[in-house]
Amino acid sequence: MLKIKEIADHLGLSKSQARRRIEAIKDLVGKDSISRGDYNEILVKQDAFEILKQLEEYRKAGNTTRKAKNKIKEDLGNEVDSETSESSQTDPVIHREPHQLDTHQPHQTDLALVKEQYEKRLSEKDERIRELQRDKQRLQEKNDTLEQRLLTGQTEEDPYKGKSLWQVVKEWLRSPAG
């Protein structure tokens, strides 16, 4: 049984999107394929997960969830007809281990999505590296000027040192605005 987070991670969806997809396929799968676990958590069997993957493939091909669901209904109708003629064929979905995702043959769209996400993360990291290098350069220059001032004994003189408050206000009022 797979949890929402595992399904969302594998299909590249958010948890709420995964919940909506599961809600959409409830009538396509058996009642025992989608159940509730501890703390009322939604659990999905491998056969329902296979249908979710197919639904997501149709959606990525440009179909709405409703159209994708209808296509899956048609596909399942055709499979039921072919299974009745070939009853000796075993269902590989039933014999899989629980919590095991079917990742043995990645689809081209999955690979393209992974590549796109990888390239995006890589470009974000490169930009962050450039930003940190700029910060390092700025801090190094500031450090160099402070070291130079310390070595030469230069200090910033306070223009208000030794003056009363009234003298400071008087200078401030006489100074040009800007």
Side-chain angles (χ1 to χ4, degrees):
M1 301 286 265
L2 302 171
K3 297 179 181 178
I4 291 283
K5 179 160 180 26
E6 295 169 330
I7 292 168
D9 290 344
H10 184 71
L11 296 177
L13 302 171
S14 68
K15 287 182 183 179
S16 59
Q17 287 173 323
R19 281 190 191 93
R20 286 195 297 270
R21 305 296 191 277
I22 291 169
E23 196 64 36
I25 66 157
K26 271 189 175 180
D27 60 331
L28 298 177
V29 296
K31 292 186 184 239
D32 63 331
S33 293
I34 299 173
S35 61
R36 296 282 179 160
D38 295 338
Y39 305 106
N40 208 24
E41 187 173 37
I42 298 173
L43 301 173
V44 177
K45 284 188 176 178
Q46 189 69 32
D47 61 332
F49 177 71
E50 294 295 327
I51 292 174
L52 282 170
K53 280 190 349 183
Q54 187 65 37
L55 179 81
E56 204 53 33
E57 283 180 25
Y58 284 141
R59 283 195 29 55
K60 287 180 181 175
N63 295 302
T64 63
T65 304
R66 185 172 290 146
K67 287 180 183 177
K69 181 179 173 181
N70 290 336
K71 284 186 176 186
I72 291 173
K73 276 184 184 179
E74 291 172 10
D75 293 347
L76 290 175
N78 293 339
E79 285 180 18
V80 169
D81 294 340
S82 65
E83 282 182 16
T84 56
S85 63
E86 300 174 11
S87 60
S88 63
Q89 184 181 15
T90 61
D91 186 8
V93 173
I94 294 173
H95 301 291
R96 289 198 183 110
E97 293 294 319
H99 296 290
Q100 179 182 4
L101 297 177
D102 181 19
T103 57
H104 65 281
Q105 265 189 346
H107 297 288
Q108 187 64 27
T109 56
D110 292 342
L111 293 175
L113 181 64
V114 169
K115 181 182 177 187
E116 180 182 318
Q117 290 172 348
Y118 177 75
E119 288 174 346
K120 181 180 176 187
R121 290 180 67 195
L122 190 60
S123 67
E124 288 172 355
K125 286 181 180 182
D126 287 343
E127 179 58 34
R128 179 70 176 143
I129 289 170
R130 285 190 291 275
E131 180 181 328
L132 290 172
Q133 287 172 339
R134 287 189 299 267
D135 286 348
K136 179 185 173 192
Q137 181 66 31
R138 182 184 55 82
L139 291 172
Q140 185 64 42
E141 289 171 0
K142 186 174 182 178
N143 186 36
D144 291 343
T145 57
L146 289 173
E147 279 182 357
Q148 185 63 33
R149 285 181 35 205
L150 185 64
L151 291 174
T152 61
Q154 282 182 326
T155 59
E156 289 184 23
E157 292 191 25
D158 187 9
Y160 305 114
K161 187 175 182 180
K163 295 182 181 179
S164 69
L165 177 62
W166 293 111
Q167 290 172 330
V168 171
V169 171
K170 190 175 174 183
E171 281 184 28
W172 177 71
L173 288 174
R174 289 185 186 167
S175 65

